[in-house]
Amino acid sequence: MDLYLSKPGVMSCAGNNIDELWQSVTGGNQRGIKKVTACNGEEYFAARIDDAILKPSTSRYEMKIMRIENTALEQIKADVKAAVSKYGAERVAVCVGSCDNGTEFSLAGHRKYFAEEKFPADYSLEIQGADYVATFVAEKFGLRGPVNTFSTACSSSAGAIIKAAEMIKGGIVDAAVVGGIDIASDTTLIGFSALEAVSSEITNPFSKNRHGITLGDGAAFFVMTKEPLSVVECPQGGRIETTSTTTVRLLGWGESADAYHMTSPDPSGAGAEKAIRRALENSGVAATNVGYINLHGTGTKFNDSMESIAVDKVFGADGIKVPVSTTKPVTGHTLGAAAALEAAICWKALVENNGKNNITLPVQVWDGERDEELPEINIVDSKSEAVKGDLKICLSNSFAFGGANACLVLGV
């Protein structure tokens, strides 16, 4: 069974829709990453979305994360409406990846409690369960299928996309709203800083001078269906024209678990390699046919090291120099939203390069000083020669805390 992905709804510091994001990642535009001061008085580089551009959401808990999510969802509402019209609301699932548990709402609530020994009148534990971001999707669109939230750190939204695909293939549902949403809250910035994982400069992945990650806000959502829904004839009359003009499919996926350490990846790259190989096997794609890899590329010492090893073992052994890059120096690391956001970038790469011989790919922004201790991979940056060929297949890597690894294969 083929699985089709609609044009994504996207929000990030690098673009308020997929077209703006594409311009940023192909042009190496880092203007959205700025230095911010957290509530502990410390300064960090962060890829935050300007709250001034966000409209109020219709959620029961009005917070920045919900405003970001609502803005991204508005971009796919025609596709959701088409899926509901085609299959019925009870046959459309929701699968969302996120790591935030209502930090904005809960932090304010606890501050009031510590000061006055009582919570605000509108305080609710529901928002701290992390699942409201998925519940909101169902509430917004009146969906009655299964509603699931996934919190596996950086691979959360990849897990959401995979579970939706399994439910469609299993006949449980016919379509799903899939994606991820997360924010670089003060809690997140301070927490990662405590782990000594936050870079003092904008992240510089795979460089010998890399110092860690740059965190960011982000959201990306698709409508996944078992058939392309470019135009849907409504039973009650009329037609719904969706946003999708090119059929991009989720070809396959692969997952693995390192079980090595709570935060650090297995330095051998074995878990990441296993996820990549399983994704290729699941999709029926040979390594030689992959035209671009969006790397996880966080900029930390161990993550970049093990990912380089894994990519080299899968592709380098046969001399395959597949073009690769990480887009996190432009978008920031959007944690639970990262996999969906980077899948959206792969979606756009396939659409933009469809039928072309001179390929435009996301460029990696870094200092160009390769870490000689890492296997050499074919990083695409502003100095790279033009890439030629026919881009048909992209691989997107997500390697999370605890060795929760997930890889997606997209194609046309």
Side-chain angles (χ1 to χ4, degrees), residues 196-397:
E196 299 182 349
V198 178
S199 177
S200 58
E201 304 168 344
I202 295 177
T203 189
N204 190 18
F206 301 100
S207 166
K208 67 179 183 180
N209 304 312
R210 66 190 184 278
H211 300 299
I213 65 177
T214 296
L215 295 163
D217 302 336
F221 290 93
F222 304 85
V223 177
M224 181 188 295
T225 55
K226 61 183 182 180
E227 57 193 306
L229 299 180
S230 55
V231 177
V232 172
E233 302 291 342
C234 300
Q236 66 272 27
R239 291 155 54 93
I240 301 172
E241 294 193 15
T242 67
T243 61
S244 300
T245 57
T246 302
T247 52
V248 176
R249 292 171 293 148
L250 176 66
L251 301 180
W253 55 87
E255 295 179 284
S256 71
D258 288 0
Y260 174 80
H261 187 272
M262 286 182 66
T263 57
S264 178
D266 181 347
S268 73
E273 178 190 355
K274 187 178 294 185
I276 295 171
R277 292 192 185 279
R278 285 175 174 172
L280 296 176
E281 180 181 359
N282 180 262
S283 59
V285 169
T288 52
N289 292 331
V290 176
Y292 168 67
I293 303 174
N294 188 287
L295 301 170
H296 189 57
T298 61
T300 62
K301 178 181 179 181
F302 297 118
N303 199 286
D304 288 1
S305 173
M306 73 85 187
E307 185 171 18
S308 296
I309 293 169
V311 169
D312 183 64
K313 284 184 177 179
V314 176
F315 298 92
D318 296 322
I320 305 168
K321 292 296 182 183
V322 57
V324 304
S325 66
T326 173
T327 44
K328 288 182 174 71
V330 172
T331 65
H333 190 346
T334 58
L335 301 176
L341 192 67
E342 289 155 18
I345 292 169
C346 289
W347 184 98
K348 187 65 171 176
L350 291 165
V351 170
E352 287 296 313
N353 292 291
N354 190 35
K356 297 179 182 178
N357 187 47
N358 293 321
I359 298 173
T360 300
L361 293 174
V363 296
Q364 181 166 313
V365 183
W366 65 319
D367 62 11
E369 297 192 34
R370 194 175 75 82
D371 187 342
E372 298 293 338
E373 295 182 1
L374 307 184
E376 186 172 2
I377 53 179
N378 185 20
I379 293 176
V380 177
D381 59 23
S382 59
K383 298 179 181 178
S384 298
E385 295 181 1
V387 179
K388 294 189 179 292
D390 190 13
L391 184 64
K392 294 290 187 183
I393 295 169
C394 294
L395 171 70
S396 181
N397 291 341

